[in-house]
């Protein structure tokens, strides 16, 4: 639920043009959710995806790359190849 609430709130901020606030909110969410990533990887993966989207739009390529790498690592390490995200 943390991931869903964070993404929805960040989406609202993003729509209002508050890109930095949205990015910071998602970065904080990743930090909170990351410890649960081994046992519940999907919320972490989708939060990384949302962070990557905001960062790309904002032109923060380093943040974008880290978020994409985090999502890929989470999916590879903790989901089965045929398991949907």
């Amino acid at each position: 639920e943390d991931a869903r609430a964070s993404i929805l709130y960040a989406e609202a901020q993003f729509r209002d043009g508050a890109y930095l606030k949205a990015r910071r909110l998602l970065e904080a969410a990743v930090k909170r959710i990351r410890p649960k990533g081994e046992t519940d990887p999907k919320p972490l993966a989708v939060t990384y995806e949302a962070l990557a989207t905001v960062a790309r739009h904002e032109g923060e390529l380093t943040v974008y790359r880290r978020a994409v790498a985090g999502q890929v690592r989470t999916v590879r390490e903790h989901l089965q190849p045929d398991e949907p995200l």
Side-chain angles (χ1 to χ4, degrees):
E1 291 302 314
D2 185 6
R4 180 181 299 207
S6 296
I7 291 168
L8 288 173
Y9 188 50
E11 185 179 275
Q13 290 178 324
F14 185 83
R15 273 195 312 268
D16 290 342
Y19 307 125
L20 182 59
K21 286 182 180 181
R23 180 170 57 92
R24 286 185 177 156
L25 185 136
L26 291 168
E27 288 171 333
V30 164
K31 287 180 184 177
R32 286 191 311 275
I33 298 166
R34 191 180 303 135
K36 302 172 195 163
E38 286 187 31
T39 57
D40 195 13
K42 291 179 183 182
L44 179 59
V46 296
T47 305
Y48 272 129
E49 182 177 6
L51 175 57
T53 300
V54 171
R56 186 182 63 194
H57 184 81
E58 195 181 20
E60 290 288 340
L61 295 181
T62 301
V63 176
Y64 168 75
R65 287 184 189 114
R66 286 183 186 152
V68 169
Q71 182 187 31
V72 169
R73 184 176 52 254
T74 299
V75 169
R76 281 188 181 159
E77 292 177 2
H78 305 295
L79 291 178
Q80 297 299 319
D82 60 343
E83 191 174 354
L85 189 60

